[in-house]
Amino acid sequence: MGLGVYFRRRARWMKYLLAIPALYLCVMIFMGKSSDGGVDSGHDRNSNNNLPVIEGVGEGRPEVPRPAKKKLVYARNAESDKDANVLHAPIPGEDGKTNPDGPGELGKAVTMKKEDLGPKEKTLFDDGWQNNAFNQYASDMISVKRSLPDVRDDRCKEEESGYLTDLPDTSVIVCFHNEAWSVLLRTVHSVLDRSPSHLLKEIVLVDDDSDMEHLKKPLEDYMAKYPKVKIIRAGKRVGLIRARLIGAENAIGKVLTFLDSHCECVQGWLEPLLDRIARNWTTVVCPVIDVIDDSTFEYHYGRASGTQVGGFDWNLQFNWHGIPDHEKQRRKYDTDPVQSPTMAGGLFSIDRKFFQRVGTYDDGFDIWGGENLELSFKTWMCGGTLEIIPCSHVGHIFRKRSPYKWRTGVNVLKRNSIRLAEVWLDEHKKYYYQRINNDLVS
């Protein structure tokens, strides 16, 4: 009986002795975490200590889920408070090359969560969407000379040797109004870097009365390094149609190529367009328009077998259709040019003389809308051919809304469509008027 009590008491004291060092260890771990500020400290999130800092700007950017081997250095223009948060072009490292593992390279997506950003970054993120209707914050993280995959079908690469040797040169006309710096520069560099020098006569940038400071002297200073780029100022807001006419009047190339200011051209985009015009000067040609995601800037593309043609409905709205059977039978390969009733209008090439022969754009059209159908109708009705070229690819940011303001009280698209119907549809205009209940007030 006495021995049993003795052993029970001894076991109890042994437990106490083992508990003391365990308790001491827990206390030390707890104190260590407290001195580090915690794992999810609000101070760390707000101070951006865990975000890479872009030199010359001093504001954090979210981590991109791929290794960054080099820092991109950004220049910043502080001439205007309005543009205080505009990031200018990334300056490559000493080797003159951009970071191959950088954000968005090879057309990959730049992903982020707004809730992971600090207060300043959230403001930049929101302002970018508001001002541009796309994710300018993501665009500013991407090099203006980013790489893209060669998205052409293999047969397109094989057919390069069959292009005519005396292709005409072209003036590339890009109209812009308050375009984001990184997006505009990426458009220009994609043309400069992926167009044969002897075929690219010039790039004509037409400023449709932008009021953002970065599109004034900073743009002129930047483009001064590139002799093939010239900037023309409209002087007042004229809209896309008249801005393109200004560009065409000042261009000197044999072929006029029109691009939007938020595009990226891929390898081999230009030669197949010019080859078709060289074979027949009345052929108007369009590249396949790939999609650049407005949120992540991922470059989406398809194969030549998925090429579509343009059409329209009796609301005089452009739409896409599958290639009709008779056109499939006419063509031998998926990479062959496709005849199309209409074009989307933002991206195309046309012989300068043929553009003048069909009367260029109707300068009675206002701002934007309907000009693509008007030029499509004129092409076919005045002896030309309209084609989509599966071997030519250009990416385009498709926005879900227009970020630009214009005068109120006028339905510009309706006004242009009525003019289009009156001039080109003859007895068929009744179908459009039925759709609008014969209401001709715009």
Side-chain angles (χ1 to χ4, degrees), residues 49-132:
N49 289 336
N50 294 323
L51 297 176
V53 175
I54 302 175
E55 296 176 11
V57 178
E59 294 166 337
R61 289 292 178 269
E63 195 74 46
V64 179
R66 58 175 61 91
K69 296 182 179 178
K70 299 179 183 177
K71 276 187 176 180
L72 291 179
V73 183
Y74 286 75
R76 176 174 171 175
N77 182 303
E79 294 182 17
S80 169
D81 290 340
K82 185 172 185 179
D83 287 335
N85 292 322
V86 172
L87 298 181
H88 282 213
I91 303 171
E94 294 180 0
D95 59 358
K97 299 178 181 179
T98 55
N99 180 4
D101 298 314
E105 292 299 320
L106 287 175
K108 295 179 181 178
V110 174
T111 57
M112 65 189 69
K113 294 181 180 179
K114 180 181 174 181
E115 56 267 27
D116 292 339
L117 305 179
K120 291 182 180 180
E121 287 70 33
K122 286 180 179 178
T123 299
L124 288 173
F125 183 91
D126 290 339
D127 288 349
W129 275 105
Q130 179 63 34
N131 295 335
N132 303 283

Coordinates of all heavy atoms in Angstrom, one line a residue, residues 49-132:
N49 N 6.1 46.4 -48.4 CA 7.4 45.9 -48.2 C 7.6 44.6 -49.0 O 8.7 44.2 -49.3 CB 7.7 45.7 -46.8 CG 7.9 47.0 -46.0 OD1 8.2 48.0 -46.6 ND2 7.7 47.0 -44.7
N50 N 6.5 43.9 -49.3 CA 6.7 42.6 -50.0 C 6.5 42.8 -51.5 O 6.4 41.8 -52.2 CB 5.6 41.7 -49.4 CG 5.9 41.3 -48.0 OD1 7.1 41.2 -47.6 ND2 4.8 41.2 -47.2
L51 N 6.3 44.0 -52.0 CA 6.1 44.2 -53.4 C 7.4 44.7 -54.1 O 8.1 45.6 -53.5 CB 5.0 45.2 -53.7 CG 3.6 44.7 -53.1 CD1 2.6 45.8 -53.4 CD2 3.2 43.5 -53.9
P52 N 7.7 44.3 -55.3 CA 8.9 44.8 -56.0 C 8.7 46.3 -56.3 O 7.6 46.7 -56.7 CB 9.0 44.0 -57.2 CG 7.6 43.5 -57.4 CD 7.0 43.3 -56.1
V53 N 9.7 47.1 -56.2 CA 9.5 48.6 -56.5 C 10.2 48.9 -57.8 O 11.3 48.4 -58.1 CB 10.2 49.4 -55.4 CG1 10.2 50.9 -55.7 CG2 9.5 49.2 -54.0
I54 N 9.5 49.6 -58.6 CA 10.0 50.0 -59.9 C 10.8 51.2 -59.8 O 10.3 52.3 -59.4 CB 8.8 50.2 -60.9 CG1 8.0 48.9 -61.1 CG2 9.4 50.6 -62.3 CD1 6.8 49.0 -61.9
E55 N 12.1 51.2 -60.1 CA 12.9 52.3 -59.9 C 12.5 53.5 -60.7 O 12.1 53.4 -61.8 CB 14.4 52.0 -60.2 CG 14.9 50.9 -59.3 CD 16.3 50.5 -59.7 OE1 16.9 51.2 -60.6 OE2 16.8 49.5 -59.2
G56 N 12.6 54.7 -60.1 CA 12.1 55.9 -60.8 C 10.7 56.3 -60.6 O 10.2 57.3 -60.9
V57 N 9.9 55.3 -60.0 CA 8.5 55.6 -59.7 C 8.3 55.5 -58.2 O 7.6 56.4 -57.7 CB 7.6 54.5 -60.4 CG1 6.2 54.7 -60.1 CG2 7.8 54.6 -61.9
G58 N 8.9 54.5 -57.5 CA 8.8 54.5 -56.1 C 7.5 54.0 -55.6 O 7.1 54.1 -54.4
E59 N 6.7 53.3 -56.4 CA 5.4 52.7 -56.0 C 5.4 51.2 -56.3 O 5.9 50.8 -57.3 CB 4.3 53.4 -56.7 CG 4.1 54.9 -56.2 CD 3.2 55.6 -57.1 OE1 3.0 55.2 -58.3 OE2 2.7 56.6 -56.7
G60 N 4.9 50.4 -55.4 CA 5.0 49.0 -55.5 C 4.1 48.5 -56.6 O 3.1 49.1 -57.1
R61 N 4.4 47.3 -57.1 CA 3.6 46.6 -58.1 C 3.4 45.1 -57.6 O 4.3 44.6 -57.0 CB 4.3 46.6 -59.5 CG 4.3 48.0 -60.1 CD 2.9 48.4 -60.5 NE 2.9 49.7 -61.1 CZ 2.7 50.8 -60.4 NH1 2.6 50.7 -59.1 NH2 2.7 52.0 -61.0
P62 N 2.3 44.5 -58.0 CA 2.1 43.2 -57.5 C 3.0 42.2 -58.1 O 3.5 42.3 -59.2 CB 0.6 42.9 -58.0 CG 0.4 43.8 -59.1 CD 1.2 45.0 -58.8
E63 N 3.3 41.1 -57.3 CA 4.2 40.1 -57.8 C 3.6 39.3 -58.9 O 2.4 38.9 -58.8 CB 4.6 39.2 -56.6 CG 5.8 38.3 -56.9 CD 7.1 39.0 -56.8 OE1 7.3 39.8 -55.9 OE2 7.9 38.8 -57.8
V64 N 4.3 39.0 -59.9 CA 3.7 38.2 -61.0 C 4.2 36.8 -60.8 O 5.4 36.6 -60.5 CB 4.2 38.8 -62.4 CG1 3.7 37.9 -63.5 CG2 3.7 40.2 -62.6
P65 N 3.4 35.8 -61.0 CA 3.8 34.4 -60.7 C 4.7 33.8 -61.8 O 4.4 32.9 -62.4 CB 2.4 33.7 -60.7 CG 1.6 34.5 -61.6 CD 2.0 35.9 -61.4
R66 N 5.9 34.5 -62.0 CA 7.0 33.9 -62.7 C 8.2 34.6 -62.3 O 8.2 35.8 -61.9 CB 6.7 34.1 -64.3 CG 6.6 35.5 -64.7 CD 6.4 35.5 -66.3 NE 5.3 34.7 -66.7 CZ 4.1 35.2 -66.9 NH1 3.9 36.5 -66.6 NH2 3.1 34.5 -67.3
P67 N 9.4 34.0 -62.4 CA 10.6 34.6 -61.9 C 11.0 35.8 -62.7 O 10.9 35.9 -63.9 CB 11.7 33.5 -62.1 CG 11.1 32.6 -63.1 CD 9.6 32.6 -63.0
A68 N 11.5 36.8 -61.9 CA 12.0 38.1 -62.6 C 13.5 38.1 -62.4 O 14.0 38.3 -61.3 CB 11.3 39.3 -61.9
K69 N 14.2 38.0 -63.5 CA 15.6 37.9 -63.5 C 16.3 39.3 -63.5 O 17.4 39.5 -63.2 CB 16.1 37.1 -64.6 CG 15.7 35.6 -64.5 CD 16.3 34.8 -65.6 CE 15.8 33.3 -65.5 NZ 16.3 32.5 -66.5
K70 N 15.5 40.3 -64.1 CA 16.1 41.6 -64.2 C 15.0 42.6 -63.8 O 13.9 42.4 -63.8 CB 16.5 42.0 -65.6 CG 17.5 41.1 -66.2 CD 17.8 41.5 -67.7 CE 18.8 40.5 -68.3 NZ 19.0 40.9 -69.7
K71 N 15.5 43.8 -63.3 CA 14.6 44.9 -63.0 C 14.4 45.7 -64.2 O 15.3 46.1 -64.9 CB 15.1 45.8 -61.9 CG 14.9 45.2 -60.5 CD 15.3 46.3 -59.4 CE 15.0 45.8 -58.0 NZ 15.4 46.8 -57.0
L72 N 13.1 46.1 -64.5 CA 12.8 47.0 -65.5 C 12.8 48.4 -64.9 O 12.1 48.6 -63.9 CB 11.5 46.7 -66.2 CG 11.5 45.4 -67.0 CD1 10.1 45.2 -67.6 CD2 12.5 45.5 -68.1
V73 N 13.5 49.3 -65.5 CA 13.6 50.7 -65.0 C 12.6 51.6 -65.8 O 12.7 51.6 -67.0 CB 15.0 51.2 -65.1 CG1 15.1 52.6 -64.4 CG2 16.0 50.3 -64.3
Y74 N 11.8 52.3 -65.1 CA 10.8 53.1 -65.8 C 11.1 54.6 -65.6 O 11.5 55.0 -64.6 CB 9.4 52.9 -65.2 CG 8.8 51.6 -65.6 CD1 9.2 50.4 -65.0 CD2 7.8 51.5 -66.5 CE1 8.6 49.2 -65.3 CE2 7.2 50.3 -66.9 CZ 7.6 49.2 -66.3 OH 7.1 48.0 -66.6
A75 N 10.9 55.3 -66.7 CA 11.1 56.8 -66.7 C 9.7 57.4 -66.4 O 8.7 56.8 -66.8 CB 11.6 57.3 -68.0
R76 N 9.7 58.5 -65.7 CA 8.4 59.1 -65.4 C 8.4 60.6 -65.7 O 9.3 61.3 -65.3 CB 8.1 58.8 -63.9 CG 6.8 59.5 -63.4 CD 6.5 59.1 -62.0 NE 5.4 59.8 -61.4 CZ 4.9 59.6 -60.2 NH1 5.4 58.6 -59.5 NH2 4.0 60.3 -59.7
N77 N 7.3 61.0 -66.3 CA 7.1 62.4 -66.6 C 6.3 63.1 -65.5 O 5.2 62.6 -65.2 CB 6.4 62.6 -67.9 CG 6.3 64.1 -68.3 OD1 5.7 64.8 -67.6 ND2 6.8 64.4 -69.4
A78 N 6.8 64.1 -64.8 CA 6.1 64.7 -63.7 C 5.6 66.1 -64.1 O 5.3 67.0 -63.3 CB 7.0 64.8 -62.5
E79 N 5.4 66.4 -65.4 CA 5.0 67.8 -65.8 C 3.6 68.1 -65.5 O 3.2 69.2 -65.4 CB 5.3 67.9 -67.3 CG 6.7 67.8 -67.7 CD 6.9 68.0 -69.2 OE1 6.0 68.5 -69.9 OE2 8.0 67.7 -69.7
S80 N 2.8 67.1 -65.3 CA 1.3 67.3 -65.1 C 0.8 66.4 -64.0 O 1.1 65.2 -64.0 CB 0.6 67.1 -66.5 OG -0.8 67.1 -66.2
D81 N 0.1 67.0 -63.1 CA -0.6 66.2 -62.1 C -1.5 65.2 -62.7 O -1.8 64.1 -62.1 CB -1.3 67.1 -61.1 CG -0.4 67.9 -60.3 OD1 0.8 67.5 -60.2 OD2 -0.8 69.0 -59.7
K82 N -2.1 65.6 -63.8 CA -3.1 64.7 -64.5 C -2.5 63.4 -64.9 O -3.1 62.3 -64.9 CB -3.7 65.4 -65.7 CG -4.8 64.6 -66.4 CD -5.4 65.4 -67.5 CE -6.6 64.7 -68.1 NZ -7.3 65.6 -69.1
D83 N -1.2 63.4 -65.2 CA -0.5 62.2 -65.6 C 0.5 61.7 -64.6 O 1.5 61.0 -64.9 CB 0.3 62.4 -66.9 CG -0.7 62.5 -68.1 OD1 -1.8 62.0 -68.0 OD2 -0.4 63.2 -69.1
A84 N 0.3 62.1 -63.3 CA 1.3 61.8 -62.3 C 1.6 60.3 -62.2 O 2.6 59.8 -61.8 CB 0.9 62.3 -61.0
N85 N 0.6 59.4 -62.5 CA 0.7 58.0 -62.3 C 0.9 57.2 -63.6 O 0.8 56.0 -63.7 CB -0.5 57.4 -61.6 CG -0.5 57.9 -60.1 OD1 0.5 58.1 -59.5 ND2 -1.7 58.3 -59.7
V86 N 1.2 58.0 -64.7 CA 1.5 57.3 -66.0 C 2.9 56.8 -66.0 O 3.8 57.5 -65.8 CB 1.2 58.3 -67.2 CG1 1.7 57.6 -68.5 CG2 -0.2 58.7 -67.2
L87 N 3.0 55.5 -66.3 CA 4.3 54.9 -66.4 C 4.8 54.9 -67.8 O 4.1 54.6 -68.7 CB 4.3 53.4 -66.0 CG 3.9 53.2 -64.5 CD1 3.9 51.7 -64.2 CD2 4.8 53.9 -63.6
H88 N 6.0 55.4 -68.0 CA 6.6 55.5 -69.3 C 7.3 54.2 -69.7 O 7.3 53.3 -69.0 CB 7.5 56.7 -69.4 CG 6.7 58.0 -69.6 ND1 7.1 59.1 -70.3 CD2 5.5 58.4 -69.1 CE1 6.2 60.1 -70.3 NE2 5.2 59.6 -69.5
A89 N 7.9 54.3 -70.9 CA 8.4 53.0 -71.4 C 9.5 52.4 -70.5 O 10.3 53.1 -70.0 CB 9.0 53.3 -72.8
P90 N 9.5 51.1 -70.4 CA 10.6 50.4 -69.7 C 11.9 50.5 -70.4 O 11.9 50.4 -71.6 CB 10.1 49.0 -69.6 CG 9.1 48.8 -70.7 CD 8.5 50.1 -70.9
I91 N 12.9 50.9 -69.7 CA 14.3 51.0 -70.3 C 15.0 49.7 -70.2 O 15.2 49.2 -69.1 CB 15.1 52.1 -69.6 CG1 14.3 53.4 -69.7 CG2 16.4 52.3 -70.3 CD1 14.9 54.5 -68.9
P92 N 15.4 49.0 -71.3 CA 16.0 47.7 -71.2 C 17.3 47.8 -70.4 O 17.9 48.9 -70.3 CB 16.2 47.3 -72.6 CG 15.3 48.2 -73.4 CD 15.1 49.4 -72.7
G93 N 17.8 46.7 -70.0 CA 19.1 46.7 -69.3 C 20.3 47.0 -70.3 O 20.1 47.3 -71.4
E94 N 21.5 46.9 -69.8 CA 22.7 47.3 -70.5 C 22.8 46.5 -71.8 O 23.4 46.9 -72.8 CB 23.9 47.2 -69.7 CG 23.9 48.1 -68.5 CD 25.2 48.0 -67.6 OE1 26.0 47.1 -68.0 OE2 25.3 48.7 -66.7
D95 N 22.3 45.3 -71.8 CA 22.4 44.4 -73.0 C 21.4 44.8 -74.1 O 21.4 44.3 -75.2 CB 22.3 43.0 -72.7 CG 20.9 42.7 -72.0 OD1 20.1 43.6 -71.9 OD2 20.6 41.5 -71.7
G96 N 20.5 45.8 -73.8 CA 19.6 46.3 -74.8 C 18.4 45.4 -75.1 O 17.7 45.6 -76.0
K97 N 18.3 44.4 -74.2 CA 17.2 43.4 -74.4 C 16.2 43.5 -73.2 O 16.6 43.9 -72.1 CB 17.7 42.0 -74.5 CG 18.7 41.7 -75.6 CD 19.3 40.3 -75.6 CE 20.2 40.1 -76.7 NZ 20.8 38.7 -76.7
T98 N 14.9 43.2 -73.5 CA 14.0 43.1 -72.5 C 14.1 41.8 -71.7 O 14.7 40.9 -72.2 CB 12.5 43.3 -73.0 OG1 12.3 42.3 -74.1 CG2 12.3 44.7 -73.7
N99 N 13.5 41.8 -70.6 CA 13.6 40.6 -69.7 C 12.7 39.4 -70.3 O 11.5 39.6 -70.4 CB 13.1 40.9 -68.3 CG 13.1 39.7 -67.4 OD1 13.6 38.7 -67.7 ND2 12.6 39.9 -66.2
P100 N 13.3 38.3 -70.8 CA 12.5 37.3 -71.4 C 11.5 36.6 -70.5 O 10.6 35.9 -70.9 CB 13.6 36.3 -71.9 CG 14.8 36.5 -71.1 CD 14.7 38.0 -70.7
D101 N 11.8 36.7 -69.2 CA 10.9 36.1 -68.2 C 10.0 37.2 -67.5 O 9.3 36.9 -66.5 CB 11.7 35.4 -67.1 CG 12.5 34.3 -67.7 OD1 12.0 33.5 -68.5 OD2 13.7 34.2 -67.3
G102 N 9.9 38.4 -68.2 CA 9.1 39.5 -67.6 C 7.6 39.2 -67.7 O 7.1 38.3 -68.4
P103 N 6.8 40.1 -67.1 CA 5.4 40.0 -67.2 C 4.9 40.1 -68.6 O 5.3 40.9 -69.4 CB 4.9 41.2 -66.4 CG 6.0 41.6 -65.5 CD 7.3 41.2 -66.2
G104 N 4.0 39.2 -69.0 CA 3.3 39.2 -70.3 C 4.1 38.7 -71.4 O 3.6 38.7 -72.6
E105 N 5.4 38.3 -71.2 CA 6.2 37.8 -72.3 C 5.6 36.6 -73.0 O 4.9 35.8 -72.3 CB 7.6 37.5 -71.9 CG 8.4 38.8 -71.4 CD 8.6 39.8 -72.6 OE1 8.8 39.4 -73.7 OE2 8.4 41.0 -72.3
L106 N 5.8 36.5 -74.3 CA 5.2 35.4 -75.1 C 3.7 35.5 -75.1 O 3.0 34.5 -75.3 CB 5.7 34.1 -74.7 CG 7.2 33.8 -75.1 CD1 7.6 32.5 -74.6 CD2 7.4 33.8 -76.6
G107 N 3.1 36.7 -74.8 CA 1.7 36.8 -74.8 C 1.0 36.2 -73.6 O -0.2 36.1 -73.7
K108 N 1.7 35.9 -72.6 CA 1.1 35.3 -71.4 C 0.3 36.3 -70.6 O 0.6 37.5 -70.7 CB 2.2 34.6 -70.6 CG 2.8 33.4 -71.3 CD 3.9 32.8 -70.4 CE 4.6 31.6 -71.1 NZ 5.7 31.0 -70.3
A109 N -0.6 35.8 -69.8 CA -1.5 36.7 -69.0 C -0.7 37.2 -67.8 O 0.2 36.6 -67.2 CB -2.7 35.9 -68.5
V110 N -1.0 38.5 -67.4 CA -0.6 39.1 -66.2 C -1.8 39.1 -65.3 O -2.8 39.7 -65.5 CB -0.1 40.5 -66.4 CG1 0.2 41.2 -65.1 CG2 1.1 40.5 -67.3
T111 N -1.8 38.3 -64.2 CA -2.9 38.1 -63.3 C -2.6 38.8 -62.0 O -1.5 38.8 -61.5 CB -3.3 36.6 -63.1 OG1 -2.1 36.0 -62.6 CG2 -3.7 36.0 -64.4
M112 N -3.7 39.3 -61.4 CA -3.6 39.9 -60.1 C -4.9 40.0 -59.4 O -6.0 39.8 -60.1 CB -3.0 41.3 -60.2 CG -3.9 42.3 -61.0 SD -3.2 43.9 -61.4 CE -2.0 43.3 -62.6
K113 N -5.0 40.2 -58.1 CA -6.2 40.4 -57.4 C -6.2 41.8 -56.8 O -5.2 42.1 -56.1 CB -6.3 39.3 -56.3 CG -6.5 37.9 -56.8 CD -6.7 36.9 -55.7 CE -6.9 35.5 -56.2 NZ -7.0 34.5 -55.0
K114 N -7.2 42.5 -57.1 CA -7.2 43.9 -56.6 C -7.1 43.9 -55.1 O -6.5 44.8 -54.5 CB -8.5 44.5 -57.0 CG -8.7 46.0 -56.6 CD -10.0 46.6 -57.0 CE -10.2 48.0 -56.5 NZ -11.5 48.6 -56.9
E115 N -7.7 42.9 -54.4 CA -7.7 43.0 -52.9 C -6.3 42.8 -52.3 O -6.0 43.0 -51.2 CB -8.6 41.9 -52.3 CG -8.4 40.5 -52.8 CD -9.2 40.1 -54.0 OE1 -9.6 41.0 -54.8 OE2 -9.5 38.9 -54.2
D116 N -5.3 42.3 -53.2 CA -4.0 42.1 -52.7 C -3.1 43.3 -52.9 O -2.0 43.3 -52.4 CB -3.3 40.9 -53.5 CG -3.9 39.6 -53.2 OD1 -4.5 39.5 -52.1 OD2 -3.8 38.7 -54.0
L117 N -3.7 44.4 -53.5 CA -2.9 45.6 -53.7 C -3.0 46.5 -52.5 O -4.0 46.5 -51.8 CB -3.4 46.3 -55.0 CG -3.4 45.5 -56.3 CD1 -4.0 46.3 -57.4 CD2 -2.1 45.0 -56.6
G118 N -2.0 47.4 -52.4 CA -2.1 48.4 -51.4 C -3.0 49.6 -51.8 O -3.4 49.6 -52.9
P119 N -3.2 50.6 -50.9 CA -4.1 51.7 -51.3 C -3.7 52.4 -52.5 O -4.6 52.7 -53.4 CB -4.1 52.6 -50.0 CG -3.6 51.6 -48.9 CD -2.7 50.6 -49.5
K120 N -2.4 52.8 -52.7 CA -2.0 53.5 -53.9 C -2.2 52.7 -55.1 O -2.6 53.2 -56.2 CB -0.6 53.9 -53.7 CG -0.3 55.0 -52.6 CD 1.2 55.4 -52.6 CE 1.4 56.4 -51.5 NZ 2.9 56.8 -51.5
E121 N -1.9 51.4 -55.0 CA -2.0 50.6 -56.2 C -3.5 50.3 -56.6 O -3.8 50.3 -57.8 CB -1.3 49.2 -55.9 CG 0.2 49.3 -55.9 CD 0.7 50.0 -54.7 OE1 0.1 49.9 -53.6 OE2 1.8 50.7 -54.8
K122 N -4.3 50.3 -55.6 CA -5.8 50.1 -55.9 C -6.3 51.4 -56.6 O -7.1 51.2 -57.6 CB -6.6 49.9 -54.6 CG -6.4 48.5 -54.0 CD -7.2 48.4 -52.7 CE -7.0 47.0 -52.2 NZ -7.8 46.8 -50.9
T123 N -5.8 52.5 -56.3 CA -6.2 53.8 -57.0 C -5.7 53.7 -58.4 O -6.5 54.1 -59.3 CB -5.6 55.0 -56.2 OG1 -6.1 55.0 -54.9 CG2 -6.0 56.3 -57.0
L124 N -4.5 53.3 -58.6 CA -3.9 53.2 -60.0 C -4.7 52.2 -60.8 O -5.0 52.4 -62.0 CB -2.5 52.8 -59.9 CG -1.4 53.8 -59.5 CD1 -0.1 53.2 -59.4 CD2 -1.4 55.0 -60.4
F125 N -5.0 51.1 -60.2 CA -5.8 50.0 -60.8 C -7.2 50.5 -61.3 O -7.6 50.4 -62.4 CB -6.0 48.9 -59.8 CG -6.7 47.7 -60.4 CD1 -6.0 46.6 -61.0 CD2 -8.0 47.5 -60.3 CE1 -6.6 45.5 -61.5 CE2 -8.7 46.4 -60.8 CZ -8.0 45.4 -61.4
D126 N -7.9 51.2 -60.4 CA -9.2 51.7 -60.7 C -9.2 52.8 -61.8 O -10.0 52.9 -62.7 CB -9.9 52.3 -59.4 CG -10.3 51.1 -58.5 OD1 -10.4 50.0 -58.9 OD2 -10.5 51.4 -57.3
D127 N -8.2 53.7 -61.6 CA -8.1 54.8 -62.6 C -7.8 54.3 -64.0 O -8.2 54.8 -65.0 CB -6.9 55.8 -62.2 CG -7.3 56.6 -61.0 OD1 -8.5 56.6 -60.6 OD2 -6.5 57.3 -60.4
G128 N -6.9 53.2 -64.1 CA -6.6 52.6 -65.4 C -7.8 52.1 -66.1 O -8.0 52.3 -67.3
W129 N -8.7 51.4 -65.3 CA -9.9 50.9 -65.9 C -10.9 52.0 -66.3 O -11.5 52.0 -67.4 CB -10.6 50.0 -65.0 CG -10.2 48.5 -65.0 CD1 -9.4 47.9 -64.1 CD2 -10.5 47.6 -66.0 NE1 -9.1 46.6 -64.5 CE2 -9.8 46.4 -65.6 CE3 -11.2 47.6 -67.2 CZ2 -9.9 45.2 -66.4 CZ3 -11.3 46.4 -68.0 CH2 -10.6 45.3 -67.6
Q130 N -11.0 53.0 -65.5 CA -11.9 54.1 -65.7 C -11.5 54.9 -67.0 O -12.3 55.3 -67.8 CB -12.0 55.1 -64.5 CG -12.9 56.3 -64.7 CD -14.3 55.9 -64.9 OE1 -14.8 54.9 -64.3 NE2 -15.1 56.7 -65.7
N131 N -10.2 55.2 -67.1 CA -9.7 56.1 -68.2 C -9.6 55.3 -69.5 O -9.6 56.0 -70.6 CB -8.3 56.6 -67.8 CG -8.4 57.6 -66.6 OD1 -9.5 58.2 -66.4 ND2 -7.3 57.7 -65.9
N132 N -9.4 54.0 -69.5 CA -9.1 53.3 -70.7 C -10.1 52.2 -71.1 O -10.1 51.7 -72.2 CB -7.7 52.7 -70.6 CG -6.7 53.7 -70.4 OD1 -6.3 54.4 -71.3 ND2 -6.2 53.8 -69.1

